Amino acid sequence: MKTFLLSLHSEYYKTRKTLAFWGAIVLPVFLCTVVFIGYYIKADDVMKKLAKVPPIAIWGQYSFAIVGVMGTLLLPMYLVFMTYSVNNIEHKADTWKSLFSLPIPKWKIYYSKALYTVLLITLSMLLFVGLTLAYGYILGWLKPQLTLQNADMAKVTSYLAVIYLKMFLASLGIISIQFLMSLVWKDFLKPMGIGFLLLVTAMIVLKWEYSYLIPFTHPIKALMSSSGKEVEILTKEVWVSFAYAAVFFTAGYFIVIKKSVK
Amino acid sequence: MQELIIQTKNLNFNFAQQKVLNQLSLEVPKGGIYGFLGPNGSGKTTTIKLLLNLLKSDEKNIFLFGKELQENRTEILKKIGSLVEQPAIYPHLTGYENLKTRALLLQVSKSKINKILDIVGLTDAANKKSEKYSLGMKQRLGIGLALLDDPELLILDEPTNGLDPNGIIEIRHLIKDLAANHQKTIFISSHLLAEIERIATHVGIINKGKMLFQGNIHELHSLKTSLICIETNDNEAAQSILKSKYPSLSLNGHLEIPFESLEQMGFINHHLIQNDLIVYSIYKQKKDLESLFLDITNA
């Protein structure tokens, strides 16, 4: 356990000055800030359209401006980018051979890297929740006409937390597939190209009854199935995402154990 | 019998259909510097990658510290520091940070990092980004990374590759110092015989995946043969006169005949003069290691 934690620490130490780490922070900060600025400037216009809407629904509108863009458009490509960035540090420096010649079991190197990637995406999701709430709170204070300050914050927080948790769980399948491709291939075009093709395919077949079997549909489906008062977390696309993650993270282990480092 | 740190028993390895190593039996004794010599593409890096378990071999015939590698991978790798091909360095990190990244994994103390920086002469450049290092500095940092866990065995793959003469001298001094003052066994590969000759105590010569010579440096030196070099006013006539007695005679601007004895030199001189040739010079020349290496690898 200790060497596993040390591997995680080492991953953080070497990525902390790279886009792999900052990517997890930049995206939520950028997106949430843009939406905040938009609502700040257009507060009166927003309220003209939503004059009689309760504060909780205004929160819904405001947070969907972020989560909608994130979940439908950005998240899958963001996952492609993040999984590649973590592995690219080793590809770029040609350090796989030195990592795998250390007296550390190969599975620890593999799983600490995979877990670190998952943790970065967790950090990103947490920042989305935190920044959405913080900016919303500031908006309520700066633009009282938005009535955001009148909502039940406990409800808003739990709703946002559940949605992002569900999106995160629905992303695990994509993470596992993209992580494996990025680990095996040095060339960014391969995981990026295949990831992009899978995403386009997912968009085309989104309404097909078995489309939940395609991992790139999972974040969108997770978001689509989150409307309503009670959000069910473990919907079928989340279960399929778990299954993909189990299969691909295990396959990655066997590939790493058997693979020669050239 | 001397303890063997590395031993391979008839090691074979193929890339697809191509045979890269052919019955290679390495025997690296404890202590000193083993020079693993061979032309580019002869199988040196493949051998090193097999020794580090980076390449997978189905045969269990690689032994380090007396133990079979695949069964005892982690235990064996604890005692090895390695530098394979180019040094594996994160360019966005400083020299110190590169060492610290590795130190975290190996649970090595911070004070050890500073000590290593001192050994490899990078204390002043410790806080400079390694992408700004010269090639020589990168190689030294690579050796520093290999030294971090105080390994008994250092495996260095062509550590002087691409370096200028100053860089080569620096690395040579460092390697000698590590063997003499830090009691490391060093396995170093190179395609440069002159380089190995200067530092190695033992030598293995490999070509096309086969071990052609293995022994200590004195045994290699004893293989050096001498030649008699002769210049006359008509070398071609001299050649036809001596050909029947010395069939291995060759003509390279002057005549070359394998040296046997001083009497033989006297006889040749006398014989040529009797045939009305003028002998400008006749002298004995030791065949250098470079040509010996070429003879061995081209055989």
Side-chain angles (χ1 to χ4, degrees), chain A residues 81-105:
Chain A
F81 167 77
M82 288 299 285
T83 47
Y84 181 75
S85 298
V86 172
N87 286 302
N88 183 42
I89 287 183
E90 312 301 344
H91 288 311
K92 201 171 135 195
D94 202 8
T95 35
W96 286 116
K97 56 179 190 269
S98 76
L99 268 185
F100 284 122
S101 57
L102 293 177
I104 297 170

PDB file of all heavy atoms in Angstrom, chain A residues 81-105:
ATOM      1  N   PHE A  81      -8.356  13.856 -23.769  1.00  0.00           N
ATOM      2  CA  PHE A  81      -7.177  14.698 -23.548  1.00  0.00           C
ATOM      3  C   PHE A  81      -6.470  14.358 -22.230  1.00  0.00           C
ATOM      4  O   PHE A  81      -5.245  14.208 -22.178  1.00  0.00           O
ATOM      5  CB  PHE A  81      -7.612  16.176 -23.567  1.00  0.00           C
ATOM      6  CG  PHE A  81      -6.567  17.110 -23.056  1.00  0.00           C
ATOM      7  CD1 PHE A  81      -5.485  17.458 -23.856  1.00  0.00           C
ATOM      8  CD2 PHE A  81      -6.628  17.614 -21.755  1.00  0.00           C
ATOM      9  CE1 PHE A  81      -4.496  18.304 -23.373  1.00  0.00           C
ATOM     10  CE2 PHE A  81      -5.638  18.454 -21.268  1.00  0.00           C
ATOM     11  CZ  PHE A  81      -4.574  18.800 -22.081  1.00  0.00           C
ATOM     12  N   MET A  82      -7.240  14.214 -21.168  1.00  0.00           N
ATOM     13  CA  MET A  82      -6.639  13.971 -19.847  1.00  0.00           C
ATOM     14  C   MET A  82      -5.931  12.617 -19.781  1.00  0.00           C
ATOM     15  O   MET A  82      -4.823  12.515 -19.249  1.00  0.00           O
ATOM     16  CB  MET A  82      -7.718  14.041 -18.755  1.00  0.00           C
ATOM     17  CG  MET A  82      -8.225  15.429 -18.492  1.00  0.00           C
ATOM     18  SD  MET A  82      -6.944  16.565 -17.927  1.00  0.00           S
ATOM     19  CE  MET A  82      -6.737  16.016 -16.250  1.00  0.00           C
ATOM     20  N   THR A  83      -6.588  11.577 -20.300  1.00  0.00           N
ATOM     21  CA  THR A  83      -5.972  10.248 -20.246  1.00  0.00           C
ATOM     22  C   THR A  83      -4.681  10.241 -21.061  1.00  0.00           C
ATOM     23  O   THR A  83      -3.692   9.613 -20.670  1.00  0.00           O
ATOM     24  CB  THR A  83      -6.917   9.159 -20.797  1.00  0.00           C
ATOM     25  OG1 THR A  83      -7.467   9.630 -22.029  1.00  0.00           O
ATOM     26  CG2 THR A  83      -8.039   8.855 -19.839  1.00  0.00           C
ATOM     27  N   TYR A  84      -4.693  10.972 -22.177  1.00  0.00           N
ATOM     28  CA  TYR A  84      -3.471  11.018 -22.980  1.00  0.00           C
ATOM     29  C   TYR A  84      -2.379  11.805 -22.270  1.00  0.00           C
ATOM     30  O   TYR A  84      -1.210  11.401 -22.265  1.00  0.00           O
ATOM     31  CB  TYR A  84      -3.751  11.627 -24.368  1.00  0.00           C
ATOM     32  CG  TYR A  84      -2.497  11.642 -25.196  1.00  0.00           C
ATOM     33  CD1 TYR A  84      -2.017  10.456 -25.753  1.00  0.00           C
ATOM     34  CD2 TYR A  84      -1.752  12.796 -25.365  1.00  0.00           C
ATOM     35  CE1 TYR A  84      -0.828  10.435 -26.464  1.00  0.00           C
ATOM     36  CE2 TYR A  84      -0.570  12.777 -26.077  1.00  0.00           C
ATOM     37  CZ  TYR A  84      -0.119  11.598 -26.628  1.00  0.00           C
ATOM     38  OH  TYR A  84       1.065  11.573 -27.311  1.00  0.00           O
ATOM     39  N   SER A  85      -2.751  12.945 -21.667  1.00  0.00           N
ATOM     40  CA  SER A  85      -1.741  13.807 -21.039  1.00  0.00           C
ATOM     41  C   SER A  85      -0.953  13.077 -19.962  1.00  0.00           C
ATOM     42  O   SER A  85       0.260  13.233 -19.855  1.00  0.00           O
ATOM     43  CB  SER A  85      -2.407  15.022 -20.398  1.00  0.00           C
ATOM     44  OG  SER A  85      -3.044  15.761 -21.375  1.00  0.00           O
ATOM     45  N   VAL A  86      -1.645  12.280 -19.162  1.00  0.00           N
ATOM     46  CA  VAL A  86      -0.959  11.579 -18.070  1.00  0.00           C
ATOM     47  C   VAL A  86       0.051  10.564 -18.636  1.00  0.00           C
ATOM     48  O   VAL A  86       1.172  10.449 -18.140  1.00  0.00           O
ATOM     49  CB  VAL A  86      -1.988  10.886 -17.137  1.00  0.00           C
ATOM     50  CG1 VAL A  86      -1.294   9.992 -16.124  1.00  0.00           C
ATOM     51  CG2 VAL A  86      -2.826  11.927 -16.427  1.00  0.00           C
ATOM     52  N   ASN A  87      -0.342   9.876 -19.691  1.00  0.00           N
ATOM     53  CA  ASN A  87       0.583   8.893 -20.291  1.00  0.00           C
ATOM     54  C   ASN A  87       1.645   9.553 -21.157  1.00  0.00           C
ATOM     55  O   ASN A  87       2.767   9.054 -21.273  1.00  0.00           O
ATOM     56  CB  ASN A  87      -0.202   7.887 -21.140  1.00  0.00           C
ATOM     57  CG  ASN A  87      -0.954   6.906 -20.274  1.00  0.00           C
ATOM     58  OD1 ASN A  87      -0.364   6.212 -19.460  1.00  0.00           O
ATOM     59  ND2 ASN A  87      -2.264   6.863 -20.421  1.00  0.00           N
ATOM     60  N   ASN A  88       1.280  10.694 -21.736  1.00  0.00           N
ATOM     61  CA  ASN A  88       2.207  11.358 -22.653  1.00  0.00           C
ATOM     62  C   ASN A  88       3.489  11.814 -21.957  1.00  0.00           C
ATOM     63  O   ASN A  88       4.547  11.901 -22.576  1.00  0.00           O
ATOM     64  CB  ASN A  88       1.506  12.556 -23.301  1.00  0.00           C
ATOM     65  CG  ASN A  88       2.387  13.238 -24.323  1.00  0.00           C
ATOM     66  OD1 ASN A  88       3.055  12.570 -25.099  1.00  0.00           O
ATOM     67  ND2 ASN A  88       2.439  14.545 -24.302  1.00  0.00           N
ATOM     68  N   ILE A  89       3.399  12.096 -20.677  1.00  0.00           N
ATOM     69  CA  ILE A  89       4.603  12.505 -19.930  1.00  0.00           C
ATOM     70  C   ILE A  89       5.674  11.428 -20.066  1.00  0.00           C
ATOM     71  O   ILE A  89       6.852  11.719 -20.259  1.00  0.00           O
ATOM     72  CB  ILE A  89       4.231  12.746 -18.455  1.00  0.00           C
ATOM     73  CG1 ILE A  89       3.441  14.028 -18.371  1.00  0.00           C
ATOM     74  CG2 ILE A  89       5.471  12.786 -17.580  1.00  0.00           C
ATOM     75  CD1 ILE A  89       3.067  14.431 -16.981  1.00  0.00           C
ATOM     76  N   GLU A  90       5.259  10.170 -20.011  1.00  0.00           N
ATOM     77  CA  GLU A  90       6.232   9.072 -20.129  1.00  0.00           C
ATOM     78  C   GLU A  90       6.637   8.856 -21.597  1.00  0.00           C
ATOM     79  O   GLU A  90       7.788   8.591 -21.881  1.00  0.00           O
ATOM     80  CB  GLU A  90       5.667   7.759 -19.562  1.00  0.00           C
ATOM     81  CG  GLU A  90       5.012   7.871 -18.198  1.00  0.00           C
ATOM     82  CD  GLU A  90       5.932   8.381 -17.097  1.00  0.00           C
ATOM     83  OE1 GLU A  90       7.165   8.367 -17.284  1.00  0.00           O
ATOM     84  OE2 GLU A  90       5.408   8.803 -16.051  1.00  0.00           O
ATOM     85  N   HIS A  91       5.664   8.975 -22.509  1.00  0.00           N
ATOM     86  CA  HIS A  91       6.005   8.795 -23.931  1.00  0.00           C
ATOM     87  C   HIS A  91       7.015   9.851 -24.370  1.00  0.00           C
ATOM     88  O   HIS A  91       8.009   9.554 -25.016  1.00  0.00           O
ATOM     89  CB  HIS A  91       4.758   8.954 -24.805  1.00  0.00           C
ATOM     90  CG  HIS A  91       3.786   7.812 -24.696  1.00  0.00           C
ATOM     91  ND1 HIS A  91       4.174   6.500 -24.804  1.00  0.00           N
ATOM     92  CD2 HIS A  91       2.444   7.786 -24.499  1.00  0.00           C
ATOM     93  CE1 HIS A  91       3.108   5.723 -24.677  1.00  0.00           C
ATOM     94  NE2 HIS A  91       2.049   6.477 -24.488  1.00  0.00           N
ATOM     95  N   LYS A  92       6.733  11.093 -23.983  1.00  0.00           N
ATOM     96  CA  LYS A  92       7.534  12.224 -24.430  1.00  0.00           C
ATOM     97  C   LYS A  92       8.969  12.128 -23.915  1.00  0.00           C
ATOM     98  O   LYS A  92       9.925  12.405 -24.633  1.00  0.00           O
ATOM     99  CB  LYS A  92       6.877  13.513 -23.924  1.00  0.00           C
ATOM    100  CG  LYS A  92       7.272  14.758 -24.677  1.00  0.00           C
ATOM    101  CD  LYS A  92       6.373  15.904 -24.214  1.00  0.00           C
ATOM    102  CE  LYS A  92       7.160  17.150 -23.953  1.00  0.00           C
ATOM    103  NZ  LYS A  92       6.413  18.134 -23.195  1.00  0.00           N
ATOM    104  N   ALA A  93       9.118  11.745 -22.659  1.00  0.00           N
ATOM    105  CA  ALA A  93      10.459  11.688 -22.061  1.00  0.00           C
ATOM    106  C   ALA A  93      11.098  10.314 -22.270  1.00  0.00           C
ATOM    107  O   ALA A  93      12.219  10.097 -21.831  1.00  0.00           O
ATOM    108  CB  ALA A  93      10.357  12.017 -20.573  1.00  0.00           C
ATOM    109  N   ASP A  94      10.380   9.405 -22.926  1.00  0.00           N
ATOM    110  CA  ASP A  94      10.876   8.044 -23.143  1.00  0.00           C
ATOM    111  C   ASP A  94      11.235   7.383 -21.807  1.00  0.00           C
ATOM    112  O   ASP A  94      12.312   6.788 -21.659  1.00  0.00           O
ATOM    113  CB  ASP A  94      12.096   8.093 -24.077  1.00  0.00           C
ATOM    114  CG  ASP A  94      12.339   6.759 -24.756  1.00  0.00           C
ATOM    115  OD1 ASP A  94      11.482   5.880 -24.619  1.00  0.00           O
ATOM    116  OD2 ASP A  94      13.390   6.596 -25.399  1.00  0.00           O
ATOM    117  N   THR A  95      10.339   7.514 -20.852  1.00  0.00           N
ATOM    118  CA  THR A  95      10.642   7.052 -19.496  1.00  0.00           C
ATOM    119  C   THR A  95       9.953   5.742 -19.114  1.00  0.00           C
ATOM    120  O   THR A  95      10.133   5.270 -17.995  1.00  0.00           O
ATOM    121  CB  THR A  95      10.244   8.133 -18.451  1.00  0.00           C
ATOM    122  OG1 THR A  95       9.075   8.791 -18.919  1.00  0.00           O
ATOM    123  CG2 THR A  95      11.341   9.127 -18.241  1.00  0.00           C
ATOM    124  N   TRP A  96       9.183   5.151 -20.051  1.00  0.00           N
ATOM    125  CA  TRP A  96       8.545   3.875 -19.701  1.00  0.00           C
ATOM    126  C   TRP A  96       9.599   2.859 -19.305  1.00  0.00           C
ATOM    127  O   TRP A  96       9.442   2.117 -18.339  1.00  0.00           O
ATOM    128  CB  TRP A  96       7.727   3.318 -20.873  1.00  0.00           C
ATOM    129  CG  TRP A  96       6.442   4.042 -21.124  1.00  0.00           C
ATOM    130  CD1 TRP A  96       6.109   4.748 -22.233  1.00  0.00           C
ATOM    131  CD2 TRP A  96       5.311   4.152 -20.244  1.00  0.00           C
ATOM    132  NE1 TRP A  96       4.852   5.293 -22.105  1.00  0.00           N
ATOM    133  CE2 TRP A  96       4.335   4.939 -20.905  1.00  0.00           C
ATOM    134  CE3 TRP A  96       5.029   3.663 -18.966  1.00  0.00           C
ATOM    135  CZ2 TRP A  96       3.112   5.240 -20.317  1.00  0.00           C
ATOM    136  CZ3 TRP A  96       3.803   3.971 -18.398  1.00  0.00           C
ATOM    137  CH2 TRP A  96       2.861   4.750 -19.074  1.00  0.00           C
ATOM    138  N   LYS A  97      10.709   2.832 -20.087  1.00  0.00           N
ATOM    139  CA  LYS A  97      11.717   1.800 -19.822  1.00  0.00           C
ATOM    140  C   LYS A  97      12.365   1.993 -18.450  1.00  0.00           C
ATOM    141  O   LYS A  97      12.667   1.014 -17.773  1.00  0.00           O
ATOM    142  CB  LYS A  97      12.765   1.768 -20.941  1.00  0.00           C
ATOM    143  CG  LYS A  97      13.469   3.065 -21.196  1.00  0.00           C
ATOM    144  CD  LYS A  97      14.495   2.927 -22.305  1.00  0.00           C
ATOM    145  CE  LYS A  97      15.366   4.150 -22.386  1.00  0.00           C
ATOM    146  NZ  LYS A  97      14.948   5.194 -23.253  1.00  0.00           N
ATOM    147  N   SER A  98      12.541   3.262 -18.037  1.00  0.00           N
ATOM    148  CA  SER A  98      13.156   3.434 -16.723  1.00  0.00           C
ATOM    149  C   SER A  98      12.148   3.167 -15.609  1.00  0.00           C
ATOM    150  O   SER A  98      12.490   2.641 -14.565  1.00  0.00           O
ATOM    151  CB  SER A  98      13.807   4.808 -16.584  1.00  0.00           C
ATOM    152  OG  SER A  98      12.846   5.788 -16.394  1.00  0.00           O
ATOM    153  N   LEU A  99      10.876   3.503 -15.856  1.00  0.00           N
ATOM    154  CA  LEU A  99       9.844   3.189 -14.850  1.00  0.00           C
ATOM    155  C   LEU A  99       9.725   1.688 -14.634  1.00  0.00           C
ATOM    156  O   LEU A  99       9.663   1.204 -13.516  1.00  0.00           O
ATOM    157  CB  LEU A  99       8.480   3.707 -15.323  1.00  0.00           C
ATOM    158  CG  LEU A  99       8.038   5.092 -14.912  1.00  0.00           C
ATOM    159  CD1 LEU A  99       6.609   5.333 -15.385  1.00  0.00           C
ATOM    160  CD2 LEU A  99       8.104   5.271 -13.411  1.00  0.00           C
ATOM    161  N   PHE A 100       9.725   0.948 -15.756  1.00  0.00           N
ATOM    162  CA  PHE A 100       9.530  -0.498 -15.649  1.00  0.00           C
ATOM    163  C   PHE A 100      10.820  -1.256 -15.303  1.00  0.00           C
ATOM    164  O   PHE A 100      10.804  -2.468 -15.200  1.00  0.00           O
ATOM    165  CB  PHE A 100       8.900  -1.052 -16.928  1.00  0.00           C
ATOM    166  CG  PHE A 100       7.423  -0.739 -17.020  1.00  0.00           C
ATOM    167  CD1 PHE A 100       6.906  -0.037 -18.085  1.00  0.00           C
ATOM    168  CD2 PHE A 100       6.559  -1.135 -16.017  1.00  0.00           C
ATOM    169  CE1 PHE A 100       5.543   0.278 -18.162  1.00  0.00           C
ATOM    170  CE2 PHE A 100       5.211  -0.831 -16.066  1.00  0.00           C
ATOM    171  CZ  PHE A 100       4.702  -0.128 -17.137  1.00  0.00           C
ATOM    172  N   SER A 101      11.933  -0.531 -15.171  1.00  0.00           N
ATOM    173  CA  SER A 101      13.127  -1.231 -14.690  1.00  0.00           C
ATOM    174  C   SER A 101      13.384  -0.890 -13.221  1.00  0.00           C
ATOM    175  O   SER A 101      14.435  -1.216 -12.684  1.00  0.00           O
ATOM    176  CB  SER A 101      14.348  -0.916 -15.566  1.00  0.00           C
ATOM    177  OG  SER A 101      14.581   0.458 -15.610  1.00  0.00           O
ATOM    178  N   LEU A 102      12.403  -0.249 -12.590  1.00  0.00           N
ATOM    179  CA  LEU A 102      12.516   0.020 -11.152  1.00  0.00           C
ATOM    180  C   LEU A 102      12.021  -1.200 -10.368  1.00  0.00           C
ATOM    181  O   LEU A 102      11.204  -1.969 -10.872  1.00  0.00           O
ATOM    182  CB  LEU A 102      11.673   1.239 -10.776  1.00  0.00           C
ATOM    183  CG  LEU A 102      12.126   2.583 -11.340  1.00  0.00           C
ATOM    184  CD1 LEU A 102      11.147   3.673 -10.947  1.00  0.00           C
ATOM    185  CD2 LEU A 102      13.525   2.931 -10.850  1.00  0.00           C
ATOM    186  N   PRO A 103      12.514  -1.341  -9.147  1.00  0.00           N
ATOM    187  CA  PRO A 103      12.087  -2.509  -8.363  1.00  0.00           C
ATOM    188  C   PRO A 103      10.681  -2.347  -7.786  1.00  0.00           C
ATOM    189  O   PRO A 103      10.473  -2.400  -6.582  1.00  0.00           O
ATOM    190  CB  PRO A 103      13.147  -2.580  -7.252  1.00  0.00           C
ATOM    191  CG  PRO A 103      13.641  -1.188  -7.109  1.00  0.00           C
ATOM    192  CD  PRO A 103      13.542  -0.560  -8.451  1.00  0.00           C
ATOM    193  N   ILE A 104       9.754  -2.068  -8.655  1.00  0.00           N
ATOM    194  CA  ILE A 104       8.358  -1.877  -8.247  1.00  0.00           C
ATOM    195  C   ILE A 104       7.517  -2.784  -9.143  1.00  0.00           C
ATOM    196  O   ILE A 104       7.728  -2.794 -10.364  1.00  0.00           O
ATOM    197  CB  ILE A 104       7.933  -0.406  -8.455  1.00  0.00           C
ATOM    198  CG1 ILE A 104       8.780   0.510  -7.567  1.00  0.00           C
ATOM    199  CG2 ILE A 104       6.452  -0.209  -8.170  1.00  0.00           C
ATOM    200  CD1 ILE A 104       8.614   1.966  -7.867  1.00  0.00           C
ATOM    201  N   PRO A 105       6.586  -3.552  -8.558  1.00  0.00           N
ATOM    202  CA  PRO A 105       5.757  -4.410  -9.420  1.00  0.00           C
ATOM    203  C   PRO A 105       5.063  -3.583 -10.502  1.00  0.00           C
ATOM    204  O   PRO A 105       4.618  -2.458 -10.246  1.00  0.00           O
ATOM    205  CB  PRO A 105       4.741  -5.003  -8.446  1.00  0.00           C
ATOM    206  CG  PRO A 105       5.396  -4.908  -7.111  1.00  0.00           C
ATOM    207  CD  PRO A 105       6.272  -3.692  -7.141  1.00  0.00           C
TER     208      PRO A 105
END
